[in-house]
Amino acid sequence: MTRHDWTLDAIRAIHDMPLLDLVYRAATVHREHFGDNKVQLCSLLSIKTGGCPEDCKYCPQAARHRTEVKYQGLMDVGEVLSAAREAREAGATRFCMGAAWREVKDGPQFDRVLDMVRGVKALGMEACCTLGMLSDTQARQLADAGLTAYNHNLDTSPEHYAEIISTRGYGDRLKTLQSVRDAGIQVCCGGILGMGESIDDRCSMLQVLASMTPHPESVPINALVAVDGTPLEGQERVSTTEMVRVIATARILMPTSMVRLSAGRLQMSEEAQLLCVMAGANSIFFGEKLLTTGNPEYAEDMRLFESVGIRPLEPDVHAPSA
Ligand code: SAM
Ligand code: DTB
Ligand code: SF4
């Protein structure tokens, strides 16, 4: 039975349990619902990079931050599909395309993204996009093109949001997520740890996610990658135990969701990553780059997983909008 009515106190009590009890409980829930040693391999490509008008304090792609990110306009369909083919050969079952846009604008660029989605689906992979805010109609067009999932993160709690982003509100995020859900596309929604938020903020964000009906099918948990030139450049790195606590709590609250250990793996030891997997993470981004920052080497990831008997998950051919 999945629940959608968790109180903040109940979530905080889970989050604060002695670590061994917490990981044991999360691993038990994980085993009940998945019972395998599989991790989903997702590939990520930045199809439009930098120059974003938003002011997200963590993001190297915001035009107003002086970072080393180079602007790159929307890629061609052919280029994107050859990257997707390569990712499939390396074992990816999901191909995610990210654009540094505030929102989707109708026109030739959106039409090109729709072609990319059709192309990725034709390769037999799950297709995912993260393009900023969407209207109901745009969400339906993406669904018609065969999009499996749409990534749109809450990033932090409703209480902490204004500290991080001023150019849009929490309500805008929730509205896009509803358009995605209404269009029959799977929801991929999570957040970032290490942006100066309190433990209550982390629990509050998890409460918003767990109150969605149904729960988001995938929940990315990112550790802030503090990039030079962004307002959060000096933030201290989030500790392994803090990551593990949030991943384990997410697993307990949302037992059937894929919990993705997303940004920040390059800064973690192999053991720390395995702890996250033991606490219920069952999906990662692989490949040497996330959108603009580094990620562990593919061969290193494969060697690690093989050495501990973790296998890649097969593609979900029964995904709702497949
Ligand atoms: N522009 C779209 C949007 O904001 O929804 C899509 C792309 S945006 C880069 C996707 C997500 O990447 C953000 O919501 C945030 O959670 C994550 N992200 C961006 N920069 C990050 C960083 N430095 N560290 C960790 N996660 C980050
Ligand atoms: C998500 O939650 N994490 C990914 C994906 N969704 C799009 C992005 C991480 C970006 C990390 C910073 C960068 O590489 O630019
Ligand atoms: Fe733009 Fe997305 Fe980066 Fe915010 S997170 S600045 S919306 S690319």
Side-chain angles (χ1 to χ4, degrees), residues 52 58-61 99-101 130-132 151-153 155 168 173 191-192 222-225 227 263 291:
C52 182
Y58 51 80
C59 187
Q61 303 199 66
W101 283 333
T130 180
L131 314 168
N151 168 247
H152 202 63
N153 290 338
D155 286 336
R168 56 168 189 260
R173 293 310 262 185
I192 308 177
N222 297 275
L224 174 74
V225 181
V227 178
L291 292 172

Short mmCIF file of all heavy atoms in Angstrom, two decimals, residues 52 58-61 99-101 130-132 151-153 155 168 173 191-192 222-225 227 263 291, ligand 1:
data_model
loop_
_atom_site.label_atom_id
_atom_site.label_comp_id
_atom_site.label_asym_id
_atom_site.label_seq_id
_atom_site.Cartn_x
_atom_site.Cartn_y
_atom_site.Cartn_z
N CYS A 52 20.50 30.57 -20.10
CA CYS A 52 19.13 30.50 -19.58
C CYS A 52 18.77 31.78 -18.81
O CYS A 52 19.56 32.27 -18.01
CB CYS A 52 18.99 29.28 -18.67
SG CYS A 52 17.32 29.08 -18.04
N TYR A 58 21.92 27.54 -8.11
CA TYR A 58 22.82 26.39 -8.23
C TYR A 58 23.31 26.17 -9.65
O TYR A 58 24.22 25.38 -9.89
CB TYR A 58 22.08 25.10 -7.77
CG TYR A 58 20.73 24.93 -8.46
CD1 TYR A 58 20.65 24.42 -9.75
CD2 TYR A 58 19.55 25.30 -7.83
CE1 TYR A 58 19.44 24.29 -10.39
CE2 TYR A 58 18.32 25.17 -8.46
CZ TYR A 58 18.27 24.67 -9.74
OH TYR A 58 17.08 24.56 -10.38
N CYS A 59 22.69 26.85 -10.62
CA CYS A 59 22.83 26.37 -12.00
C CYS A 59 23.91 27.09 -12.80
O CYS A 59 23.88 28.32 -12.97
CB CYS A 59 21.49 26.47 -12.73
SG CYS A 59 21.57 25.70 -14.37
N PRO A 60 24.86 26.33 -13.35
CA PRO A 60 25.92 26.91 -14.17
C PRO A 60 25.42 27.43 -15.52
O PRO A 60 26.16 28.11 -16.22
CB PRO A 60 26.90 25.74 -14.36
CG PRO A 60 26.13 24.50 -14.09
CD PRO A 60 25.03 24.86 -13.15
N GLN A 61 24.16 27.10 -15.88
CA GLN A 61 23.65 27.46 -17.20
C GLN A 61 22.85 28.77 -17.21
O GLN A 61 22.38 29.20 -18.27
CB GLN A 61 22.79 26.34 -17.75
CG GLN A 61 23.53 25.02 -17.83
CD GLN A 61 22.83 24.08 -18.76
OE1 GLN A 61 22.76 24.31 -19.96
NE2 GLN A 61 22.27 23.01 -18.21
N ALA A 99 17.29 20.76 -21.79
CA ALA A 99 17.48 22.06 -22.44
C ALA A 99 17.44 23.17 -21.41
O ALA A 99 16.56 23.19 -20.54
CB ALA A 99 16.40 22.29 -23.50
N ALA A 100 18.39 24.10 -21.52
CA ALA A 100 18.44 25.24 -20.59
C ALA A 100 17.44 26.30 -21.04
O ALA A 100 17.81 27.38 -21.51
CB ALA A 100 19.86 25.80 -20.55
N TRP A 101 16.17 25.95 -20.91
CA TRP A 101 15.09 26.87 -21.24
C TRP A 101 14.30 27.17 -19.98
O TRP A 101 14.21 26.32 -19.09
CB TRP A 101 14.11 26.21 -22.23
CG TRP A 101 14.59 26.15 -23.63
CD1 TRP A 101 15.46 26.98 -24.25
CD2 TRP A 101 14.19 25.18 -24.63
NE1 TRP A 101 15.63 26.60 -25.57
CE2 TRP A 101 14.86 25.51 -25.82
CE3 TRP A 101 13.33 24.07 -24.63
CZ2 TRP A 101 14.71 24.77 -27.00
CZ3 TRP A 101 13.17 23.34 -25.79
CH2 TRP A 101 13.86 23.69 -26.97
N THR A 130 13.71 17.29 -20.23
CA THR A 130 13.56 18.32 -19.22
C THR A 130 13.80 19.64 -19.93
O THR A 130 14.90 19.94 -20.38
CB THR A 130 14.46 18.06 -17.98
OG1 THR A 130 14.26 19.10 -17.04
CG2 THR A 130 15.94 17.93 -18.32
N LEU A 131 12.70 20.39 -20.11
CA LEU A 131 12.72 21.56 -21.00
C LEU A 131 12.21 22.81 -20.30
O LEU A 131 11.98 23.82 -20.95
CB LEU A 131 11.85 21.28 -22.24
CG LEU A 131 12.01 19.93 -22.96
CD1 LEU A 131 10.88 19.72 -23.96
CD2 LEU A 131 13.36 19.84 -23.68
N GLY A 132 11.97 22.74 -19.00
CA GLY A 132 11.38 23.88 -18.30
C GLY A 132 9.86 23.77 -18.26
O GLY A 132 9.31 22.68 -18.37
N ASN A 151 11.11 15.27 -16.80
CA ASN A 151 11.81 15.64 -15.57
C ASN A 151 11.58 17.13 -15.27
O ASN A 151 11.81 18.00 -16.11
CB ASN A 151 13.31 15.37 -15.71
CG ASN A 151 14.11 16.02 -14.58
OD1 ASN A 151 14.88 16.95 -14.80
ND2 ASN A 151 13.90 15.58 -13.35
N HIS A 152 11.09 17.37 -14.08
CA HIS A 152 10.85 18.75 -13.64
C HIS A 152 11.00 18.72 -12.12
O HIS A 152 10.13 18.20 -11.42
CB HIS A 152 9.43 19.15 -14.06
CG HIS A 152 9.20 20.62 -14.17
ND1 HIS A 152 9.86 21.42 -15.07
CD2 HIS A 152 8.35 21.45 -13.50
CE1 HIS A 152 9.43 22.67 -14.95
NE2 HIS A 152 8.52 22.72 -13.99
N ASN A 153 12.11 19.23 -11.62
CA ASN A 153 12.40 19.06 -10.19
C ASN A 153 11.79 20.16 -9.33
O ASN A 153 11.70 21.31 -9.75
CB ASN A 153 13.92 19.05 -9.97
CG ASN A 153 14.57 17.79 -10.52
OD1 ASN A 153 13.90 16.78 -10.70
ND2 ASN A 153 15.85 17.85 -10.78
N ASP A 155 13.34 20.76 -6.60
CA ASP A 155 14.65 21.24 -6.14
C ASP A 155 14.79 21.36 -4.63
O ASP A 155 15.77 20.92 -4.06
CB ASP A 155 15.05 22.57 -6.81
CG ASP A 155 15.46 22.36 -8.26
OD1 ASP A 155 15.88 21.23 -8.59
OD2 ASP A 155 15.35 23.30 -9.05
N ARG A 168 10.68 32.32 -10.80
CA ARG A 168 9.43 31.55 -10.89
C ARG A 168 9.12 31.04 -9.50
O ARG A 168 9.99 31.07 -8.61
CB ARG A 168 9.54 30.39 -11.89
CG ARG A 168 10.66 29.47 -11.58
CD ARG A 168 10.63 28.16 -12.36
NE ARG A 168 11.64 27.29 -11.78
CZ ARG A 168 12.84 27.09 -12.31
NH1 ARG A 168 13.19 27.64 -13.43
NH2 ARG A 168 13.70 26.30 -11.69
N ARG A 173 6.03 25.31 -10.77
CA ARG A 173 6.57 23.94 -10.91
C ARG A 173 5.43 22.93 -10.81
O ARG A 173 5.30 22.03 -11.63
CB ARG A 173 7.60 23.62 -9.81
CG ARG A 173 8.90 24.38 -9.84
CD ARG A 173 9.59 24.41 -11.14
NE ARG A 173 10.67 23.47 -11.37
CZ ARG A 173 11.43 23.48 -12.48
NH1 ARG A 173 11.22 24.36 -13.43
NH2 ARG A 173 12.38 22.60 -12.65
N GLY A 191 14.97 16.60 -6.26
CA GLY A 191 15.57 17.84 -5.79
C GLY A 191 17.06 17.73 -5.59
O GLY A 191 17.71 16.77 -6.00
N ILE A 192 17.58 18.77 -4.94
CA ILE A 192 19.02 18.91 -4.73
C ILE A 192 19.29 19.06 -3.24
O ILE A 192 18.57 19.81 -2.56
CB ILE A 192 19.56 20.19 -5.44
CG1 ILE A 192 19.14 20.21 -6.91
CG2 ILE A 192 21.07 20.30 -5.31
CD1 ILE A 192 19.58 21.49 -7.66
N ASN A 222 19.75 14.77 -6.21
CA ASN A 222 21.04 15.33 -6.64
C ASN A 222 21.78 15.89 -5.43
O ASN A 222 21.17 16.51 -4.56
CB ASN A 222 20.80 16.51 -7.60
CG ASN A 222 20.10 16.12 -8.90
OD1 ASN A 222 20.76 15.69 -9.85
ND2 ASN A 222 18.78 16.26 -8.95
N ALA A 223 23.10 15.70 -5.40
CA ALA A 223 23.92 16.46 -4.44
C ALA A 223 24.39 17.67 -5.21
O ALA A 223 24.81 17.54 -6.38
CB ALA A 223 25.11 15.62 -4.00
N LEU A 224 24.28 18.83 -4.61
CA LEU A 224 24.71 20.05 -5.31
C LEU A 224 26.14 19.88 -5.83
O LEU A 224 27.04 19.50 -5.08
CB LEU A 224 24.67 21.27 -4.38
CG LEU A 224 25.25 22.55 -5.00
CD1 LEU A 224 24.29 23.14 -6.02
CD2 LEU A 224 25.58 23.59 -3.93
N VAL A 225 26.32 20.19 -7.11
CA VAL A 225 27.67 20.32 -7.65
C VAL A 225 27.93 21.83 -7.62
O VAL A 225 27.30 22.58 -8.37
CB VAL A 225 27.76 19.76 -9.09
CG1 VAL A 225 29.18 19.88 -9.62
CG2 VAL A 225 27.29 18.31 -9.14
N VAL A 227 29.39 24.89 -8.57
CA VAL A 227 30.17 25.29 -9.74
C VAL A 227 30.68 26.72 -9.57
O VAL A 227 29.91 27.61 -9.17
CB VAL A 227 29.30 25.18 -11.03
CG1 VAL A 227 30.08 25.64 -12.26
CG2 VAL A 227 28.81 23.75 -11.22
N ALA A 263 23.08 13.89 -9.68
CA ALA A 263 24.33 14.66 -9.67
C ALA A 263 25.11 14.42 -8.39
O ALA A 263 24.55 14.11 -7.35
CB ALA A 263 24.02 16.15 -9.83
N LEU A 291 24.95 17.31 -17.44
CA LEU A 291 24.62 18.30 -18.47
C LEU A 291 25.87 19.10 -18.82
O LEU A 291 26.31 19.14 -19.96
CB LEU A 291 23.48 19.20 -17.99
CG LEU A 291 22.13 18.50 -17.85
CD1 LEU A 291 21.11 19.41 -17.20
CD2 LEU A 291 21.60 18.03 -19.20
N1 SAM B 1 15.79 24.24 -17.46
C1 SAM B 1 15.02 23.12 -17.06
C2 SAM B 1 14.55 23.19 -15.63
O1 SAM B 1 15.13 23.92 -14.84
O2 SAM B 1 13.59 22.52 -15.31
C3 SAM B 1 15.73 21.79 -17.28
C4 SAM B 1 17.22 21.65 -17.04
S1 SAM B 1 17.77 21.89 -15.35
C5 SAM B 1 19.51 22.02 -15.57
C6 SAM B 1 17.44 20.30 -14.60
C7 SAM B 1 17.79 20.12 -13.17
O3 SAM B 1 19.18 19.95 -13.00
C8 SAM B 1 17.46 21.21 -12.19
O4 SAM B 1 16.12 21.24 -11.81
C9 SAM B 1 18.34 20.84 -10.99
O5 SAM B 1 17.64 20.00 -10.12
C10 SAM B 1 19.49 20.07 -11.64
N2 SAM B 1 20.76 20.82 -11.47
C11 SAM B 1 21.15 21.90 -12.18
N3 SAM B 1 22.35 22.35 -11.77
C12 SAM B 1 22.73 21.54 -10.74
C13 SAM B 1 23.88 21.51 -9.89
N4 SAM B 1 24.84 22.40 -9.99
N5 SAM B 1 23.95 20.53 -8.96
C14 SAM B 1 22.94 19.61 -8.86
N6 SAM B 1 21.84 19.60 -9.63
C15 SAM B 1 21.72 20.55 -10.56
#
